[in-house]
Amino acid sequence: MDFEQFKFLKTNQLPQKIELKSTSPSNIALVKYWGKADIQIPKNTSISFTLSNCYTATQLQLVAKTKVEEKTQIKVELDGVSTPSFHPKIEKFLKLIEEYCPYVNHYHFSIQTQNTFPHSSGIASSASGMSALAMCLMQLEKKIDPEVSHDFILKKASFLARLGSGSASRSIQGKLMLWGKHAQVNESSDLYAIALKQDLHPIFKDYQDSILLVDKGQKKVSSTLGHSLMNGHPFAEKRFEQAQHNCSDLLEILKSGNLEAFMTLVESEALTLHAMMMSSRPYFMLMTTNTLAVLNAIWEFRKTTRIPVCFTLDAGANVHLLYPKQHQKNVVHFIDQSLKQYCENQQVIHDEVGKGAEIIE
Ligand code: 2P0
């Protein structure tokens, strides 16, 4: 695999002190990434919608060390509150990327970060958080080497984000992202995600995602544990094969706009993800009775109204309702009348597909 292209080789003078800023959204997988090999190499291809309203804004301040050998100081503030619990993840990330970004060893790190979605809402902040941080580093690379192309910035940002958190690789661009080598997509790679731009049916360009916060608690299964459950899982190989087929089918559906096929595939992917967790050792049940009540209500609503609304799930109890924008009014009414009751504090976040991360100059 071509890792060399990502090594930063310029020997230009580094700034003594610099402030970098970016924003990056969360994303929701349609074909799920569940299972990986070292280091952050996915066992199957995944495809996701990039979100818009749910994003992280990060400000990174770098201050040069007096000597490179000095231990790197890390400070992280989430919503203005010091959060030392993030330090190990950042330290691990810096270690993983130093080969590609040797300049990180010259600096002390101060990170200020804010999420637009409530903290402990059950919405993973690692995708938006790690991709925002990767984007800040690419802003630095551009300042050191203004010749660097926009395409390379996006590619390397996704490459770096992946090392922080696999799904973060898919947050850099929009509106649909594919990560992991796939036989039918020449430019695809296990190292970074790419945007699916060609022949996208117009129906998907402003697709809606209303996130029902069924359970805002701490994740029951960490992503590290979750992915490792696929090692030695009795159905693992079949699952990875199935995901490759589902990606092929979804690529066709994204061109044709066949919503019946879209809904079947996306719901089957969500339930398969949970079936993998239910059939692993140790086993986990992440859906709650309220999740099941929501799924049944969605199926009933779809049957009676013929409105093409479907669901997907992350590794938790929350439900993402996916639907075309033209049905927004009816679906929001349905959520208010019939689904909010199953959410913690009746909380729902209305989002839609978006364009990805941005460097803030
Ligand atoms: C996904 N998830 O495709 C799947 C579906 C959750 C359910 O990727 O260990 O935080 O950081 O690479 O990306 C969540 O795992 O895992 C995830 P790491 P990540 O979005």
Side-chain angles (χ1 to χ4, degrees), residues 133-149:
L133 190 55
M135 223 37 193
C136 285
L137 294 173
M138 292 317 294
Q139 186 181 18
L140 174 64
E141 289 199 15
K142 192 174 164 58
K143 284 191 193 289
I144 303 172
D145 174 17
E147 300 290 289
V148 67
S149 76

Side-chain angles (χ1 to χ4, degrees), residues 48-278:
S48 56
F49 273 143
T50 304
L51 296 183
S52 176
N53 302 332
C54 291
Y55 67 88
T56 298
T58 293
Q59 198 170 322
L60 169 64
Q61 196 179 67
L62 299 175
V63 178
K65 297 177 182 175
T66 27
K67 283 196 216 123
V68 182
E69 305 78 52
E70 239 174 83
K71 185 175 159 46
T72 305
Q73 288 169 18
I74 296 173
K75 278 191 216 153
V76 185
E77 278 184 14
L78 175 63
D79 298 325
V81 179
S82 169
T83 318
S85 59
F86 284 180
H87 293 189
K89 193 153 181 149
I90 303 291
E91 271 165 25
K92 192 173 160 208
F93 175 63
L94 294 179
K95 204 80 216 135
L96 281 174
I97 67 167
E98 68 178 356
E99 197 182 340
Y100 310 101
C101 309
Y103 50 82
V104 295
N105 290 324
H106 291 262
Y107 290 112
H108 296 300
F109 279 67
S110 174
I111 300 167
Q112 287 178 317
T113 190
Q114 281 131 24
N115 297 327
T116 56
F117 45 94
H119 186 42
S120 59
S121 58
I123 300 180
S125 57
S126 67
S128 55
M130 295 314 289
S131 51
L133 190 55
M135 223 37 193
C136 285
L137 294 173
M138 292 317 294
Q139 186 181 18
L140 174 64
E141 289 199 15
K142 192 174 164 58
K143 284 191 193 289
I144 303 172
D145 174 17
E147 300 290 289
V148 67
S149 76
H150 187 60
D151 280 353
F152 182 77
I153 288 178
L154 297 175
K155 199 188 212 185
K156 184 167 174 183
S158 176
F159 173 86
L160 296 176
R162 178 196 111 246
L163 291 169
S165 181
S167 54
S169 68
R170 299 188 311 237
S171 281
I172 299 296
Q173 295 184 71
K175 299 179 170 183
L176 276 134
M177 295 293 280
L178 179 145
W179 170 42
K181 190 72 200 148
H182 193 279
Q184 271 166 253
V185 186
N186 283 336
E187 332 77 84
S188 62
S189 170
D190 284 345
L191 302 183
Y192 50 84
I194 56 167
L196 293 172
K197 285 192 174 135
Q198 257 113 50
D199 303 331
L200 191 59
H201 191 279
I203 194 101
F204 295 114
K205 290 190 176 161
D206 52 5
Y207 228 69
Q208 304 292 299
D209 178 5
S210 294
I211 310 166
L212 307 185
L213 303 184
V214 171
D215 184 357
K216 305 203 307 181
Q218 214 40 38
K219 280 207 277 185
K220 271 196 213 150
V221 179
S222 72
S223 55
T224 311
L225 172 61
H227 289 285
S228 75
L229 294 175
M230 291 306 280
N231 300 331
H233 191 294
F235 308 139
E237 290 313 313
K238 276 282 165 222
R239 161 59 197 156
F240 302 143
E241 262 176 50
Q242 178 198 46
Q244 296 312 104
H245 286 299
N246 280 346
C247 283
S248 302
D249 290 349
L250 185 56
L251 289 169
E252 278 309 309
I253 291 167
L254 292 173
K255 285 182 202 160
S256 70
N258 180 345
L259 291 186
E260 281 302 322
F262 177 80
M263 294 189 292
T264 303
L265 190 152
V266 168
E267 291 188 349
S268 164
E269 271 292 320
L271 295 176
T272 302
L273 168 72
H274 282 253
M276 288 298 117
M277 283 181 264
M278 286 158 68

